[in-house]
Amino acid sequence: MSTPTGTLTLESLSSENTFAMAQALGRLILRPCRLALSGDLGAGKTLFVQGFARGLGVPENVYVTSPSYALIHAYTARLPLYHADLYRLGHMEEVLDIGLPDLMASESVTVVEWAERMEDTEIFDIRIHIEIHGETTRKLHAQAYGLHFQDLLRSWQQVCPPA
Ligand SMILES: Nc1ncnc2c1ncn2[C@@H]1O[C@H](COP(=O)(O)OP(=O)(O)O)[C@@H](O)[C@H]1O
Ligand SMILES: [Mg+2]
């Protein structure tokens, strides 16, 4: 795996905290981005996407739910948002069946839970690993690739709601 150009670790003390942090990141997104989320079941990956989606402009009345069975959900926001969850991926071809590589190459924002199940994991601009610390505490380890996304992490740190 290539070396990130920027890293950031954030501590979350509650679900609301993680949601607000993710929303703050979503608000900063102005151009296409590929975001990988990793962490154990129940770490808060889907919750993170829910906050991120709001920040990116998915309206309040649109529910953002886990795409674990459909593998991918699409939303209309400031940029098209695709939310994939590869936990139930049976075969690598399914990644192609749902058109993920094409979507990731398009002018969109793609967030992938269990991205480590993809063959090509070098494609991501930002990776966030959510580590479970206690029942309601999490550590978010973010890595950025390239100058633009490194700057984005810095901006995120500045606007991130305190734990
Ligand atoms: N600090 C926290 N950050 C994120 N989730 C938290 C936190 N504390 C408790 N939780 C709970 O953990 C669960 C995370 O679920 P989910 O987002 O579906 O996880 P994943 O998608 O990683 O399997 C939710 O029930 C959420 O309320
Ligand atoms: Mg999930």
Side-chain angles (χ1 to χ4, degrees):
M1 210 175 276
S2 50
T3 316
T5 43
T7 61
L8 173 65
T9 299
L10 297 166
E11 197 178 11
S12 165
L13 300 181
S14 66
S15 302
E16 295 74 21
N17 204 183
T18 298
F19 185 96
M21 286 171 168
Q23 187 171 20
L25 180 63
R27 285 194 189 110
L28 293 172
I29 304 289
L30 299 172
R31 58 160 91 167
C33 173
R34 290 150 298 187
L35 171 62
L37 292 177
S38 61
D40 291 341
L41 271 181
K45 300 180 293 299
T46 298
L47 184 86
F48 188 95
V49 180
Q50 289 165 339
F52 181 83
R54 292 288 173 250
L56 191 68
V58 173
E60 289 288 336
N61 61 343
V62 175
Y63 289 103
V64 175
T65 56
S66 176
S68 47
Y69 288 95
L71 294 183
I72 195 157
H73 286 162
Y75 301 93
T76 303
R78 282 188 286 105
L79 286 158
L81 171 64
Y82 300 105
H83 175 199
D85 181 342
L86 305 182
Y87 185 65
R88 292 177 193 281
L89 193 71
H91 298 279
M92 239 353 124
E93 297 87 73
E94 286 179 77
V95 167
L96 297 175
D97 291 345
I98 60 170
L100 195 54
D102 290 340
L103 296 177
M104 292 181 85
S106 71
E107 292 280 305
S108 65
V109 177
T110 309
V111 185
V112 184
E113 295 185 43
W114 298 96
E116 57 271 37
R117 304 214 163 159
M118 285 181 74
E119 272 170 344
D120 178 13
T121 57
E122 299 282 311
I123 193 169
F124 291 99
D125 303 304
I126 300 176
R127 290 177 220 263
I128 298 174
H129 179 76
I130 307 177
E131 192 189 344
I132 301 177
H133 262 244
E135 209 173 309
T136 64
T137 52
R138 305 286 187 268
K139 264 194 184 150
L140 278 64
H141 303 278
Q143 300 183 320
Y145 298 83
L147 258 184
H148 173 75
F149 294 101
Q150 179 186 334
D151 286 347
L152 191 69
L153 278 198
R154 278 210 206 99
S155 306
W156 188 27
Q157 183 171 28
Q158 281 160 14
V159 296
C160 225

